[in-house]
Amino acid sequence: MLPEISLSILDLVQNSIKASASLIKINIKILKDIMHVTIEDNGCGMSNKELKKSTDPFFTTRVTRKIGLGISFFKQASEITGGMFHIDSKESAGTIINATFNLNHIDCIPLGDINSTIHLLITSNNDIDFLYTYSFNDVSFCLDTREMRRHLDDIPLYSPEISTFIKEYLYENKNETDGGRIV
């Protein structure tokens, strides 16, 4: 199991990128002591056969290695806390992963540095759009790269000035949203 949920999110989003997604939505919602994580993409999706095997650590569609631990680790990390896990996928339509985590459970791994994870994903994948939403109780913020691109013309999101802006935006807004709480 990865030591932080944010690293699991990074791993799962890499699957979306490999599935040729052009839009990846990441939603983290914390209500009291429950964290809901949703990752949705518009990639190539999975067949019913692949979907049924997707949580098996000894199944992967990759040819470089014969195990695929990302989805199974994320499922285990969720369920070990008493949380729930669900994955849905349709060929040519994309995949949606939903998981809940009981933050008070002794075995719940921390969210970790989600800001750095989101920043890395955005600045490393200039041809992919991201819609990131972070909510804490009744407060939330959103970062939508499609909206950013409309204002930036042809300036890439990985350019130093924009990259710095994105990083600061993520840290400032998360801190305002959750009051600096470490999850």
Side-chain angles (χ1 to χ4, degrees):
M1 202 167 349
L2 293 170
E4 297 178 356
I5 294 169
S6 64
L7 295 177
S8 289
I9 291 170
L10 177 66
D11 186 60
L12 295 172
V13 170
Q14 291 300 319
N15 293 342
S16 297
I17 292 166
K18 289 175 188 166
S20 301
S22 61
L23 175 62
I24 301 170
K25 299 176 184 178
I26 302 166
N27 187 337
I28 298 172
K29 186 174 190 174
I30 300 169
L31 291 169
K32 298 183 182 179
D33 296 322
I34 302 295
M35 179 168 51
H36 304 266
V37 177
T38 303
I39 302 166
E40 178 179 354
D41 70 53
N42 65 352
C44 66
M46 292 183 263
S47 68
N48 285 335
K49 182 179 177 183
E50 291 170 329
L51 181 60
K52 287 178 185 173
K53 292 182 175 185
S54 66
T55 59
D56 179 347
F58 301 105
F59 171 77
T60 184
T61 57
R62 283 183 295 219
V63 293
T64 55
R65 61 181 174 180
K66 298 192 187 263
I67 57 173
L69 299 173
I71 294 172
S72 62
F73 276 171
F74 196 62
K75 179 180 189 284
Q76 179 187 11
S78 170
E79 291 178 344
I80 202 166
T81 71
M84 308 278 270
F85 175 88
H86 181 75
I87 183 169
D88 190 29
S89 187
K90 294 190 179 8
E91 285 185 284
S92 303
T95 301
I96 302 172
I97 295 174
N98 286 295
T100 59
F101 298 82
N102 180 348
L103 297 173
N104 285 334
H105 195 280
I106 193 167
D107 292 322
C108 187
I109 58 177
L111 175 59
D113 191 355
I114 191 65
N115 295 322
S116 290
T117 297
I118 300 301
H119 176 259
L120 175 67
L121 287 167
I122 291 170
T123 57
S124 298
N125 299 286
N126 199 53
D127 296 332
I128 299 172
D129 280 310
F130 291 88
L131 175 59
Y132 171 62
T133 306
Y134 179 84
S135 304
F136 186 84
N137 294 328
D138 296 330
V139 183
S140 67
F141 80 93
C142 180
L143 188 152
D144 188 341
T145 60
R146 297 168 297 183
E147 184 178 319
M148 292 179 75
R149 289 179 206 282
R150 282 193 286 275
H151 296 288
L152 293 172
D153 296 319
D154 292 331
I155 302 172
L157 299 178
Y158 60 78
S159 70
E161 298 86 10
I162 304 304
S163 174
T164 300
F165 169 80
I166 292 169
K167 183 172 250 181
E168 290 173 358
Y169 180 86
L170 289 166
Y171 279 93
E172 288 173 13
N173 280 280
K174 181 181 181 298
N175 192 46
E176 286 181 21
T177 300
D178 64 15
R181 180 174 179 201
I182 297 174
V183 182

